Amino acid sequence: MVQQSPEQVEQLVAPIALYPDALVAQILAASTYPTEIVEADRWVQQHSELKGEQLAQAVDQQSWDPSIKAITQFPSVLANMDKNLSWASALGDAYVNDQQAVLDAVQTMRKRAQQAGNLKAAPQENVVTQGQTIVIQPANPDVVYVPAYDPWLVYGSPLIAYPGWYWYPGLYAVGPGISFGIGFGLGFYAGFGWGWHHWDADWRGRHVMFDNDRYVSHSRTFFDHNHFYRGGPGFRGGSEFHGTPEFHGGPQAHGGSEFHGGAAAPAFHGSATPQAQPGTRSGAFSGFNHGGVARGFSSRGQSSFGGGFHGGGFHGGGGHR
């Protein structure tokens, strides 16, 4: 992974830095599972008739990471991560490789928004400064409002938008301020082990908390280059990309219809494609980070694969309907 500058990390966190702490934690964790983001968004669209407790119970039965399950409670957030998948996966890559820098950047952007007069307490949320830390919590512990804002304008001096960032109608209001839509009640999700109250951000330690412990992503999508060495237990000649549910044996990969895509999907057949290449930012999914197939998808503005990813490992996509 090419070391990212603080400015680049700030650009990555800008779209989520002003969300409530627990939602930031869920998003950072979920961003390390880009394939599950797509699968979950597709699933939510296909099951739009499910509401409340029925939806929560159906989500609980899925094999997704707890963070992905948690994000399904906020379909607009999940949809944006899917539509802007190159951004979401780059965020996941950055979080896997330097959690402290990512959490630092969130606080930096909160301070900038506060200084610009755009981040302050509201009926929907509490904004509290504790020393050098800005904490954002729902005003009502049972209802979460997702703030809507232009991430490239809300922080005062305009930011350069993340390359390939796709804005679509309804994503946020145009202008420098923050607005709130409908609130999401937490009641139906409260009884599950992945619900809202199981997540938080540890601002002192600069990492995501899950169940009062440090969250550890088990995604095989990104290398942690701080703890990775070729031939070591985390690699073993590429077998990690060969037998895991995300890439080969699971329902969303070679063994199922979703990501197979015929001969045009070599990246998910355990081929040499996922191995780290010189100069790439993430060995397994460098296509996501550099725009690649993901940008070709997100820039079309579809909320699902449609005809599938084109121009890369995700060609064909006919299994998703």
Side-chain angles (χ1 to χ4, degrees):
M1 174 179 174
V2 177
Q3 186 67 35
Q4 302 215 55
S5 68
E7 292 75 20
Q8 288 173 312
V9 179
E10 290 164 8
Q11 182 189 48
L12 277 175
V13 304
I16 66 164
L18 306 186
Y19 287 1
D21 290 5
L23 185 54
V24 170
Q26 292 170 8
I27 291 170
L28 291 178
S31 67
T32 67
Y33 290 88
T35 56
E36 291 189 9
I37 289 171
V38 177
E39 184 181 347
D41 188 37
R42 176 65 40 77
W43 185 93
V44 167
Q45 293 176 55
Q46 291 174 341
H47 297 84
S48 58
E49 77 285 355
L50 296 178
K51 305 294 182 185
E53 188 174 359
Q54 281 187 321
L55 176 61
Q57 290 177 345
V59 166
D60 188 55
Q61 296 170 14
Q62 306 306 309
S63 61
W64 308 321
D65 185 75
S67 61
I68 298 291
K69 294 181 180 182
I71 292 292
T72 63
Q73 188 167 11
F74 308 100
S76 59
V77 174
L78 178 62
N80 185 42
M81 295 179 76
D82 185 1
K83 286 183 173 72
N84 283 295
L85 196 60
S86 60
W87 159 75
S89 58
L91 181 66
D93 193 7
Y95 178 74
V96 166
N97 280 279
D98 198 341
Q99 297 175 23
Q100 181 171 343
V102 171
L103 273 296
D104 280 341
V106 170
Q107 284 297 324
T108 297
M109 301 314 283
R110 288 182 175 185
K111 290 183 179 72
R112 289 179 57 179
Q114 192 177 60
Q115 290 166 359
N118 292 324
L119 179 61
K120 47 198 168 185
Q124 296 86 353
E125 67 181 20
N126 296 324
V127 178
V128 179
T129 300
Q130 300 175 348
Q132 297 299 310
T133 299
I134 298 175
V135 175
I136 303 176
Q137 304 281 7
N140 180 340
D142 295 320
V143 182
V144 176
Y145 290 86
V146 179
Y149 60 89
D150 186 330
W152 320 120
L153 293 178
V154 74
Y155 298 104
S157 301
L159 287 177
I160 298 174
Y162 182 79
W165 175 267
Y166 173 69
W167 181 90
Y168 53 93
L171 178 58
Y172 47 74
V174 176
I178 298 175
S179 60
F180 297 89
I182 62 170
F184 294 90
L186 301 176
F188 293 115
Y189 281 59
F192 296 97
W194 38 264
W196 175 267
H197 297 293
H198 292 266
W199 297 91
D200 203 359
D202 178 359
W203 297 116
R204 179 171 300 196
R206 294 296 197 258
H207 55 253
V208 167
M209 297 293 289
F210 177 62
D211 274 346
N212 298 313
D213 201 359
R214 184 170 182 165
Y215 171 83
V216 177
S217 174
H218 296 289
S219 172
R220 306 299 173 87
T221 302
F222 304 111
F223 295 138
D224 179 354
H225 290 258
N226 298 315
H227 301 93
F228 166 78
Y229 56 96
R230 190 175 298 277
F235 193 76
R236 287 196 291 274
S239 61
E240 300 287 14
F241 295 96
H242 190 276
T244 65
E246 284 184 82
F247 287 96
H248 192 277
Q252 69 269 44
H254 180 257
S257 59
E258 284 86 347
F259 282 102
H260 185 226
F268 290 89
H269 286 254
S271 70
T273 306
Q275 298 187 18
Q277 301 296 323
T280 61
R281 289 179 37 217
S282 169
F285 263 51
S286 58
F288 281 116
N289 294 335
H290 295 289
V293 293
R295 186 170 304 157
F297 158 65
S298 62
S299 65
R300 289 198 299 276
Q302 300 177 5
S303 58
S304 60
F305 275 163
F309 278 141
H310 295 278
F314 280 111
H315 193 285
H320 269 302
R321 296 194 247 292

